[in-house]
Each structure stands twice: as C-alpha cells, then as structure tokens.
C-alpha cells in the first residue's frame, strides 16, 4: 500500500499556501496614520512571508473545495517538522502525528477504504489498521515532505508572477489580532490575505472567494511549542508489516 492518499491530503497545505502568493504593486492605503502606510501591498506581503518563515511554529486551520469535495485541515507544525493534527477529506477522517522522523496516521474506516482501494489484500489490511495508529514507511517518498513548515512557506513564494496587482484594504480583526487586508480580484475569484499589524507581521488568514475552489485558511499559535506524543506500542501497527500479512 502506498501512502499517496495521505500525501495528497496533506498536499492541501501546499495548495492553501499557494493562494498566498499574491502581493501587489497596488495602492498605498491612504494616510500615514494607518498601519504599513509607507509600504505597498507587495512590500507588506513580502514582510509577512519572511516573518512566517522565521516563526518557530504555527497552526494552520482551513477548508477548501477540491475536485468537488470539501477538504478540512487542522495542523500544528514547527521548524523541526514536529506536527500533529487532523484531516477530513469529504468525510474520510484521520489524525496525524510526526516526530523524530516518523509519521503516524490514525484513520477511520472510510479513510482506509480510500487509501487501500485496489491494493492487494486490502480487506485483511483494513481489519488491522482502522482506528489504529499506523506507522508509515520511512522510505516512502510520498510522505517525506509532510510536516515540512519551511516547504509550506516556500510554496507561498513559488510563482512570483502572481505577486502583482493586490491592493491594500481596511484593517480588521482576525483571532483577536489587528490585521490589514490585501486583496486581488482575478478570473472571477477574490483573493485576500490578512497580515498582522502589531508585533511580527505574520500571515493570519487567507481566503479565496468565487471560482471552483473557494478556500479559507487561518494561521495562529505562532511560536507555541509543538510536542506530539508517540503513540503507545500497543496502539501502533506497522503498515509494511500489515500489508505483508495481507498478501
């Protein structure tokens, strides 16, 4: 059994992050009494990406439409690739923990039905892995990039051609923190990035409204320790061993 399904769901993080790439040459936002009054939208977004890169840790919580399905993610991750959280892919749910270079997944029945589809001996494997902490193969390339905070942030800046044309909007509150909105309308979609105006200019939220794949992601808990616990031995199933036994 390959872990491609797991990787695909976690890839939502990268897809969500890619929505942040826009940062424009837009309006300066008006009077000097406003936050970032002397910075253009592209300068604010650049500062936000840089600050978010440097943060020791963060939490990402979001929902998006993909291929007609709703995918939800709630994940905390740090610079050392420690992470834990949950994913819900159209009702197929799983918990994740990553520490010391090892990924554990605890999925419900629907999750493993999707993941083991068309795999030899899947029925036998299913009985061993549903609602168990499953240790994913360390050499599986499809899971090697999981919980990579720096990779996530890097995806925000992949396509610099999208960094044009955003405008500074009003200030608002996101999670109790003041933020400035950066907006761009294109192709029937409106992209908005909210950047903290006090303290470090962290990204606090991104939204995409309209189009076929609306999205909303909230970023919080910057700098908080991420300390996932290793599941107890009796709760853990090794996926390679379970797959071998199912053949």
């Amino acid at each position: 059994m390959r872990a491609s399904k797991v990787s695909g769901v976690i890839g939502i993080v990268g897809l969500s992050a890619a929505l942040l790439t826009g940062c424009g040459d837009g309006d300066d936002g008006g009077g000097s009494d406003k936050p970032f009054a002397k910075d253009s939208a592209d300068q604010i977004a650049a500062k936000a990406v840089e600050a978010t890169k440097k943060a020791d840790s963060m939490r990402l919580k979001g929902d998006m439409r993909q291929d007609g399905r709703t995918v939800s993610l709630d994940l905390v991750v740090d610079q050392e690739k420690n992470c834990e959280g949950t994913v819900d892919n159209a009702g197929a749910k799983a918990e994740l923990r990553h520490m010391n270079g090892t990924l554990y997944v605890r999925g419900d029945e629907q999750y493993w039905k999707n993941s083991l589809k068309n795999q030899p001996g899947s029925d036998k494997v299913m009985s061993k892995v549903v609602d168990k902490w499953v240790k994913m193969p360390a050499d599986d390339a499809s899971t090697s990039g999981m919980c990579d905070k720096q990779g996530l942030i890097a995806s925000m800046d992949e396509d610099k051609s999208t960094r044009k044309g955003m405008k500074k909007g009003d200030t608002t509150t996101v999670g109790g923190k003041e933020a400035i909105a950066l907006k761009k309308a294109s192709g029937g979609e409106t992209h908005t990035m909210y950047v903290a105006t006090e303290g470090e200019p962290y990204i606090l939220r991104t939204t995409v409204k309209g189009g076929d794949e609306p999205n909303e992601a909230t970023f919080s808990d910057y700098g908080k320790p991420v300390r996932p616990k290793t599941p107890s031995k009796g709760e853990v199933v090794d996926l390679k061993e379970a797959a071998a036994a199912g053949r």
Side-chain angles (χ1 to χ4, degrees), residues 25-245:
D25 294 326
D27 296 340
D28 66 7
S32 61
D33 59 330
K34 293 185 177 182
F36 297 114
K38 296 182 180 180
D39 295 315
S40 65
D42 62 335
Q43 290 171 327
I44 298 170
K47 289 179 179 180
V49 171
E50 186 62 25
T52 303
K53 282 182 181 178
K54 291 180 178 179
D56 290 335
S57 62
M58 68 181 186
R59 179 183 183 185
L60 169 61
K61 185 175 182 179
D63 299 284
M64 74 174 295
R65 294 286 294 174
Q66 186 181 45
D67 299 327
R69 298 171 299 170
T70 299
V71 180
S72 300
L73 176 75
D74 189 351
L75 184 73
V76 291
V77 61
D78 68 12
Q79 299 278 37
E80 304 302 319
K81 300 185 181 180
N82 297 305
C83 77
E84 63 179 325
T86 60
V87 293
D88 183 337
N89 189 347
K93 301 176 182 179
E95 298 174 67
L96 312 172
R97 293 183 189 176
H98 187 276
M99 72 290 287
N100 302 319
T102 301
L103 175 69
Y104 299 91
V105 178
R106 182 163 66 183
D108 64 8
E109 183 174 359
Q110 189 59 53
Y111 173 85
W112 286 112
K113 280 183 179 179
N114 293 350
S115 296
L116 295 170
K117 188 176 181 180
N118 299 324
Q119 298 296 325
S122 60
D123 290 342
K124 292 181 180 179
V125 178
M126 278 279 293
S127 65
K128 297 177 182 293
V129 298
V130 171
D131 294 326
K132 296 286 188 179
W133 282 108
V134 178
K135 181 180 179 181
M136 305 304 289
D139 60 353
D140 195 310
S142 64
T143 63
S144 62
M146 287 192 182
C147 298
D148 183 353
K149 175 182 175 291
Q150 293 305 81
L152 165 64
I153 306 306
S155 72
M156 298 180 187
D157 207 33
E158 277 183 340
D159 186 359
K160 291 180 173 54
S161 68
T162 63
R163 290 163 134 250
K164 303 292 181 182
M166 289 189 86
K167 307 291 184 181
K168 291 199 292 187
D170 295 330
T171 56
T172 186
T173 300
V174 177
K177 299 181 182 297
E178 186 178 279
I180 186 171
L182 309 178
K183 296 189 176 187
K184 178 180 179 179
S186 177
E189 297 180 339
T190 300
H191 294 235
T192 309
M193 177 197 293
Y194 297 87
V195 179
T197 60
E198 299 177 341
E200 294 293 331
Y202 293 133
I203 298 164
L204 299 181
R205 179 176 292 162
T206 64
T207 65
V208 177
K209 296 183 178 181
D212 296 329
E213 296 185 346
N215 171 283
E216 180 171 335
T218 300
F219 300 78
S220 62
D221 292 348
Y222 284 101
K224 290 189 177 181
V226 179
R227 295 172 180 155
K229 294 182 179 179
T230 302
S232 62
K233 189 174 182 180
E235 295 180 295
V236 175
V237 175
D238 188 291
L239 185 58
K240 280 188 174 181
E241 294 177 3

